[in-house]
Amino acid sequence: MAKYSRIEVVLQMKENGIVPVFYNADIAVCKQVLKACYDAGLRTFEFTNRGDFAHEVFADLNKYAKAELQGMMMGVGSVLDAGTTSLYLQLGADFIVSPIVNPEMAKACNRRKVAWMPGCGSVTEISYAEELGAEVVKIFPGAQVGGPAFVKGVKGPLPWASIMPTGGVSPTEENLKEWLAAGVHCVGIGSKLFVKNTEGAYDYAAITQTISSALDLVKKLRS
């Protein structure tokens, strides 16, 4: 069962402004990456549903988060159907993110009052997702769909839309400024947050520093 309500999740995403998107098959790596995100100040984390037995990795990671990282809200991305949605809800996911709009997924999440964030690529899809109960919609792939200009365009006829772009977002001042100026609710960022050392292993201290700097940029750009 989700620990945090959909309203709490949506508000936290807005507060941080950044949602990290990550997958690794090694639970030890996942725990250290999650802790690095937590230490930087993030309180939402999207674990992507990729690879065999991804749900087993998430189950262990979510138990760790709930026991050790007070306030961390754990979500699952790349979910495509109601069955997989229900599986992750049973494992305690606090939110579900998808690259598509699937009404059966919406029903599964709404039934338990869990935040559902479907992927959209048009005003019609965004409006339909909102009809299905999506408080925040994901645009994916963000850059290919139209980037910040697309978000700004959508906010004309749909000023109430809360949009989270993923894909084509970087933790740089130039890039974040464009997205925030367009009116995004928050942004999803993947590999560009997760710094590796010269040997190809994750540099957890550098990850914390990169995210901390990005969060400071969000605050600066919003002020």
Side-chain angles (χ1 to χ4, degrees):
M1 180 175 174
K3 182 175 181 179
Y4 301 97
S5 73
R6 54 187 171 187
I7 300 302
E8 289 175 309
V9 170
V10 168
L11 290 176
Q12 184 60 58
M13 286 182 167
K14 175 72 172 179
E15 181 177 338
N16 276 155
I18 295 173
V19 178
V21 180
F22 182 80
Y23 169 78
N24 194 285
D26 187 332
I27 183 60
V29 170
C30 289
K31 286 180 178 179
Q32 291 182 87
V33 166
L34 181 61
K35 181 64 162 55
C37 290
Y38 186 85
D39 289 345
L42 285 175
R43 292 297 180 268
T44 57
F45 186 92
E46 179 186 330
F47 177 83
T48 52
N49 175 48
R50 297 177 185 170
D52 293 336
F53 309 109
H55 66 288
E56 294 183 3
V57 179
F58 176 77
D60 288 342
L61 188 62
N62 197 27
K63 289 174 184 176
Y64 166 72
K66 296 300 184 279
E68 303 293 336
L69 308 178
Q70 180 63 36
M72 180 60 89
M73 302 174 184
M74 299 293 292
V76 181
S78 299
V79 180
L80 299 171
D81 55 77
T84 307
T85 298
S86 296
L87 171 63
Y88 280 106
L89 293 179
Q90 193 65 22
L91 295 175
D94 296 307
F95 60 97
I96 299 291
V97 184
S98 178
I100 64 171
V101 180
N102 181 327
E104 295 306 311
M105 289 178 62
K107 291 178 184 178
C109 289
N110 291 340
R111 207 171 276 127
R112 297 200 191 187
K113 295 187 177 181
V114 172
W116 167 68
M117 296 150 195
C120 303
S122 69
V123 171
T124 297
E125 286 185 332
I126 291 171
S127 184
Y128 180 48
E130 290 172 339
E131 287 179 20
L132 294 172
E135 186 67 31
V136 174
V137 297
K138 169 181 174 175
I139 60 165
F140 177 82
Q144 286 75 10
V145 166
F150 175 78
V151 175
K152 187 175 181 180
V154 169
K155 297 284 281 188
L158 305 179
W160 52 81
S162 297
I163 297 172
M164 175 179 68
T166 303
V169 184
S170 300
T172 64
E173 182 167 4
E174 181 181 14
N175 190 265
L176 288 173
K177 183 177 181 179
E178 285 190 288
W179 287 109
L180 291 170
V184 297
H185 182 82
C186 61
V187 297
I189 309 180
S191 59
K192 292 177 182 179
L193 288 179
F194 303 113
V195 183
K196 293 184 178 180
N197 60 29
T198 55
E199 297 175 354
Y202 288 107
D203 185 332
Y204 303 112
I207 291 170
T208 295
Q209 182 56 53
T210 298
I211 295 172
S212 180
S213 296
L215 291 175
D216 287 342
L217 278 173
V218 170
K219 290 179 182 177
K220 172 187 171 184
L221 293 168
R222 282 177 168 171
S223 62

